Amino acid sequence: MKDNQEETLNRQVAEAEDRANRLFEQQELRKAEMKAAIERSRQLQITRKKAQKDAVKQEEVEFASFWKVRNEEL
C-alpha cells in the first residue's frame, strides 16, 4: 500500500516536473522568437533609413546639377 502511494506520488512529481520543463521551454522559445523578430525589425528600419538618406542625397545631387545647367544657360 505504501509503495503504491509512493509510486503515485513519484509519478505525480515527475509529471509536474515535465509540465514545468515544457512550459519553460515554450517560454524560452517565445523569447528567442521575439528577439529574432526585434532584430529583423531593427535591420529593416536601418535599411529603410539608409534608403531615405540615399534618396535625399540623390535629390540634392540632381537639384545641384539642374541649377548648374540652368545657371550656365543664363
Side-chain angles (χ1 to χ4, degrees), residues 14-28:
E15 288 173 3
E17 287 176 351
D18 286 343
R19 270 186 301 222
N21 286 336
R22 282 195 304 270
L23 180 60
F24 177 76
E25 289 172 3
Q26 289 173 350
Q27 288 173 342
E28 290 299 310

Side-chain angles (χ1 to χ4, degrees), residues 55-65:
V56 168
K57 284 182 183 179
Q58 183 63 31
E59 273 185 39
E60 290 172 356
V61 168
E62 290 173 2
F63 186 75
S65 176

Side-chain angles (χ1 to χ4, degrees), residues 3-64:
D3 288 340
N4 224 5
Q5 289 175 341
E6 280 186 37
E7 186 177 317
T8 303
L9 182 61
N10 287 338
R11 190 172 49 243
Q12 289 173 345
V13 168
E15 288 173 3
E17 287 176 351
D18 286 343
R19 270 186 301 222
N21 286 336
R22 282 195 304 270
L23 180 60
F24 177 76
E25 289 172 3
Q26 289 173 350
Q27 288 173 342
E28 290 299 310
L29 180 61
R30 219 172 300 137
K31 283 181 190 178
E33 289 171 349
M34 287 175 64
K35 284 181 181 181
I38 290 169
E39 186 59 31
R40 280 193 305 274
S41 175
R42 184 178 296 138
Q43 290 302 321
L44 288 172
Q45 189 175 21
I46 290 169
T47 302
R48 188 175 60 248
K49 284 183 180 182
K50 183 180 182 318
Q52 284 178 331
K53 193 181 289 187
D54 291 345
V56 168
K57 284 182 183 179
Q58 183 63 31
E59 273 185 39
E60 290 172 356
V61 168
E62 290 173 2
F63 186 75

